[in-house]
Amino acid sequence: MDVIRASQLTVDDAWLVAWSRFAAGLRVADIPAAVVARARLVLLDTLGAIAAGAREPEMVALTARMAALHGTGGLATAVIGGRIRLPLPVAAFLNGTAGTMLELDEGNQYCRGHPAIHVVPAALAAADAGGASGAALIRALVLGYEIAARIGIASRLRVTMHPHGTWGTVGAAVAAASLAGADAATMRETINVASTLGLATSRRTMLQGGTVRNAYAGVSNQLGLTAVELVGAGFVGEPDGVATVFGTVAADDFRPEEMTRELGSRWEIARNYFKRHAACRYTHGALDALGAILAETGPVAPDEVAALEVDTYVWAAQLDDPAPRNMLAAKFSLPFALATMIVSGETGVASFRDPARQDAATRALAARVTVREDPAFTAALPALRPARVTLALRDGRRVQRTVTTNRGDAEAPYPPEEIVAKFDALAAPVWGAQRTAAIRAAVETIDTAGDVRALTALLAG
């Protein structure tokens, strides 16, 4: 067996030195006002996704089990939407898990993942524990998002891996370290320690309805907080753990120059996307194209449809299961997503629940959907996410639409008021209209708040 000796390893971690100094020295005043505004919107959107996800039966049961196991004493923070406070790592785990349950959390097309749900729960927990200012929370969120997204940009995970639970751990750790006032040396060590705490995730979970996938982001938040405590206790990592893990373990093409390219002038949180369809983002282009078709034809009865044809890029073309076994699998099924849109007229949370999934007309229509990869569409990634949908009706008509970007992407953004409306729709059933409005107001002015605990008190209600 080959043995790698320490003397054989060479480390060029200039990017890490620069990044650590940048993170330790960043002030909120250094962040452009438009980026701060985007961060507030990302925070609001993520809180809505967490609160709604916390009402899912599995989350209610998991919260009760974790409360019984860990108790409610000690240094605790809000389980969002759970009406309970639990120890910081436990609450961060539950909040990160809840935020992925409904496939409504934001993401970033350039890193091919969802940075905010890996960062917000850990950042809120750390800010709450320390009584941090709202400005410190925003800085931590921006930094955690930035490094998580840049690792995703600088490397391509193995195609068998799911991105949740991988580089997000580093993002959570950086956010928590920022709130702890880490200097450059401590920030560097935190990044190195956190880099090797990620999960070996399976992409098949999302395709086959393995709901353990929803816990990946929760674990990242928990381990991000743990990384800060490890460094505080004197633990150290290898000199450049990010390059090792994302250059030889989880991926093999780490490009360190991407970690510092335009650092401080190009902000990844400002290039994010928001979601309105309650399904995997890979379905969104086709759903938008079908929406354009239905805007022309008007409502179409399921039995009027002879066939639906979808041509799209490689990752979306994998979502071809016409008979998903549960809600998660339905959210990762193009045939079902298109069918339920025709049958229900929408793509909200209810359109993917079991009653919709078991609907006979929807299942029959899903079986008439064909999904194919178009190599030209794949070549357009990551800047574009093309999809072409052809609706063939039994009367002989064929209607086709092609989209190149998803609604909600940086190139075709939703207006802020639509994201606010999404938050209200998700949060009001959890907290009621009055508390929802108070939470929204607190987030909209969070960067001027002297103490985040005014917000976290509302979240715990």
Side-chain angles (χ1 to χ4, degrees):
M1 181 178 70
D2 293 336
V3 176
I4 300 176
R5 302 181 185 279
S7 60
Q8 294 175 286
L9 300 176
T10 59
V11 177
D12 180 10
D13 61 353
W15 79 266
L16 182 53
V17 173
W19 227 104
S20 301
R21 289 173 178 168
F22 168 76
L26 184 70
R27 304 169 302 162
V28 173
D30 301 325
I31 305 173
V35 178
V36 172
R38 191 69 166 189
R40 291 195 301 261
L41 200 59
V42 167
L43 176 59
L44 185 73
D45 184 74
T46 304
L47 292 176
I50 293 171
R55 293 166 62 89
E56 292 299 294
E58 300 95 325
M59 284 308 309
V60 173
L62 182 60
T63 298
R65 294 177 72 92
M66 297 299 274
L69 184 63
H70 295 281
T72 58
L75 196 56
T77 192
V79 176
I80 298 168
R83 293 181 172 84
I84 192 172
R85 296 176 69 90
L86 290 176
L88 266 62
V90 179
F93 163 71
L94 290 169
N95 291 336
T97 302
T100 63
M101 292 292 291
L102 299 177
E103 268 298 306
L104 281 169
D105 52 307
E106 69 82 58
N108 184 294
Q109 69 199 72
Y110 302 99
C111 72
R112 300 169 297 279
H114 301 252
I117 195 55
H118 291 81
V119 174
V120 168
L124 273 175
D128 189 30
S133 68
L137 174 63
I138 289 294
R139 181 185 67 227
L141 169 55
V142 169
L143 281 172
Y145 194 110
E146 191 73 17
I147 196 164
R150 282 180 177 263
I151 296 172
I153 291 167
S155 61
R156 288 186 178 274
L157 292 175
R158 303 196 185 285
V159 296
T160 53
M161 290 190 68
H162 194 297
H164 283 19
T166 56
W167 38 252
T169 303
V170 183
V174 163
S178 172
L179 285 156
D183 59 19
T186 304
M187 185 66 73
R188 177 177 174 176
E189 204 62 71
T190 301
I191 293 169
N192 282 332
V193 168
S195 65
T196 57
L197 295 179
L199 299 175
T201 59
S202 169
R203 191 178 190 85
R204 291 172 67 88
T205 55
M206 72 181 195
L207 300 174
Q208 298 182 350
T211 53
V212 64
R213 166 261 185 197
N214 292 331
Y216 295 166
V219 173
S220 272
N221 282 279
Q222 184 177 39
L223 290 176
L225 293 173
T226 300
V228 173
E229 299 306 317
L230 285 168
V231 172
F235 285 76
V236 299
E238 60 184 271
D240 188 350
V242 170
T244 297
V245 172
F246 296 96
T248 66
V249 181
D252 54 17
D253 65 342
F254 181 67
R255 301 177 299 283
E257 67 275 10
E258 296 296 338
M259 298 302 297
T260 54
R261 190 185 303 278
E262 302 177 273
L263 185 62
S265 61
R266 187 193 80 206
W267 301 89
E268 292 308 318
I269 200 167
R271 300 203 299 168
N272 83 316
Y273 63 79
F274 292 108
K275 299 174 68 174
R276 295 291 275 143
H277 304 301
C280 172
R281 181 170 173 269
Y282 296 162
T283 69
H284 288 206
L287 289 170
D288 289 345
L290 178 59
I293 290 172
L294 296 176
E296 175 185 332
T297 64
V300 173
D303 57 5
E304 294 177 12
V305 179
L308 270 169
E309 300 171 9
V310 182
D311 296 281
T312 186
Y313 53 93
V314 61
W315 304 118
Q318 291 181 350
L319 312 186
D320 61 354
D321 181 6
R325 72 180 179 122
N326 59 15
M327 183 175 74
L328 177 63
K331 292 172 178 290
F332 285 82
S333 164
L334 264 170
F336 179 83
L338 294 169
T340 197
M341 183 177 188
I342 288 176
V343 173
S344 69
E346 58 182 51
T347 54
V349 174
S351 299
F352 294 88
R353 293 199 183 282
D354 280 354
R357 188 179 58 82
Q358 295 165 356
D359 178 74
T362 304
R363 293 174 68 87
L365 179 53
R368 300 197 295 276
V369 178
T370 302
V371 181
R372 299 180 292 253
E373 180 196 356
D374 185 326
F377 288 175
T378 298
L381 298 172
L384 302 177
R385 287 287 195 274
R388 180 172 56 249
V389 173
T390 305
L391 173 66
L393 297 170
R394 296 195 186 278
D395 63 10
R397 286 181 294 159
R398 289 175 65 87
V399 188
Q400 185 178 94
R401 288 291 183 275
T402 301
V403 301
T404 56
T405 59
N406 299 336
R407 287 196 66 217
D409 284 3
E411 299 83 2
Y414 292 116
E417 54 268 25
E418 191 158 352
I419 304 307
V420 172
K422 171 190 170 183
F423 169 77
D424 287 346
L426 292 174
V430 178
W431 287 305
Q434 185 174 354
R435 185 176 289 263
T436 294
I439 292 170
R440 181 181 355 101
V443 172
E444 288 172 347
T445 57
I446 190 64
D447 50 306
T448 65
D451 190 327
V452 300
R453 286 177 291 198
L455 171 62
T456 56
L458 289 168
L459 298 176

